[in-house]
Amino acid sequence: MKPVYTLDDLNSRKTLDAGADKPALLAVLGWPVAHSASPRMHQPALDAQGINARYIRLEVEPGQVAEAFTRMRALGFIGCNVTVPHKLDAMAACDDVHSEARLLGAVNTVSFDKDATRGFNTDGPGFARAIDDDFGVSLASLNVAIAGAGGGAGQAIATQCVLSGVGKLVLVNRSIAKLGPLAGRLAELGSATQITTLPFDAASLADQCRMCDLIVNTSSVGLKAGDPSILSAVCLKPEHLVYDTIYQPSVTPLLALAAGMGCRTSNGLSMLLHQGALAFQHWFPAADPKVVLAAMREGLA
Ligand code: ATR
């Protein structure tokens, strides 16, 4: 068994399953992928449900996603998760893309069904569940500010906010040029959400953030040691719920600042957990969601 497999390992089942007690039937595709926590939650869930399958990491070069899908289908894989940078390519490589994934502009979950390769996105719904689970409030009831809304995670979460029907959505990004097309797409969804776009140096940033209930960091600021908080203290108030999609480190500079001001905080581990649980449900609709969630939570702990 290997910590990371490649396309070459998909040439035959003999190679793929050498030294393993269960057949590899599920995978996470990424580039790089060695750091992925997905096997840590999916394998315990498979085992808890008594499913004879192995969940592996598969390193796939950019441009090779369609080829990987073809080989996985030929080997009888049930499905896969897709992570950075393949979520757009995965959408193109599916025969059938669920409407929500199309709206979110990315596929993170694939089902190799008999008649078609189907693509879903569980990142957005996973985020909504994480907010519900961590803070005990429905996303729909909140006004939301997203810092770093121009990146992949930011766009998915912004779209989910509109689909959930939040009243006010503040999109903040360093390069403001990325927000125009996003705001245009969100407006086309025809919801009543009031959308504001602004850069970090806007004079109104603090006021706009303080008008919101939930602050979300979807930027990569906070990943590296020495990074500053993506938002300064003037943007925060004690009543804020503050969510950072980063989970390594578990307490980012933003979360430390917010917790110090008395805000309730949470990190991206819960979004990882819930997107995974929703993906599992696509592959195994008859699985017990409570058992799956508990097994995944323990695997990630
Ligand atoms: P993805 O792969 O999700 O698209 P990305 O391109 O690394 O990720 O960008 C993630 C987000 O982090 C973007 O919103 C990015 O801002 P820009 O669109 O302006 O590039 C944001 N980001 C990264 N470094 C940043 C920094 N130093 N200050 C503010 N935002 C930053």
Side-chain angles (χ1 to χ4, degrees), residues 195-219:
I195 299 171
T196 305
T197 60
L198 68 174
F200 285 100
D201 55 7
S204 59
L205 178 68
D207 283 345
Q208 286 292 336
C209 288
R210 293 166 69 88
M211 277 190 260
C212 291
D213 311 297
L214 172 67
I215 305 284
V216 187
N217 176 35
T218 54
S219 82

Side-chain angles (χ1 to χ4, degrees), residues 126-210:
F127 172 73
R129 286 202 185 197
I131 295 303
D132 207 318
D133 203 13
D134 295 349
F135 297 126
V137 289
S138 135
L139 179 60
S141 69
L142 302 173
N143 291 328
V144 185
I146 302 179
Q155 300 203 26
I157 287 177
T159 308
Q160 184 62 43
C161 286
V162 172
L163 292 176
S164 294
V166 306
K168 176 178 173 65
L169 182 61
V170 176
L171 305 176
V172 192
N173 208 50
R174 179 178 55 180
S175 22
I176 190 80
K178 285 193 192 167
L179 294 181
L182 172 63
R185 280 201 303 282
L186 296 179
E188 274 172 26
L189 298 179
S191 91
T193 303
Q194 183 220 324
I195 299 171
T196 305
T197 60
L198 68 174
F200 285 100
D201 55 7
S204 59
L205 178 68
D207 283 345
Q208 286 292 336
C209 288
R210 293 166 69 88

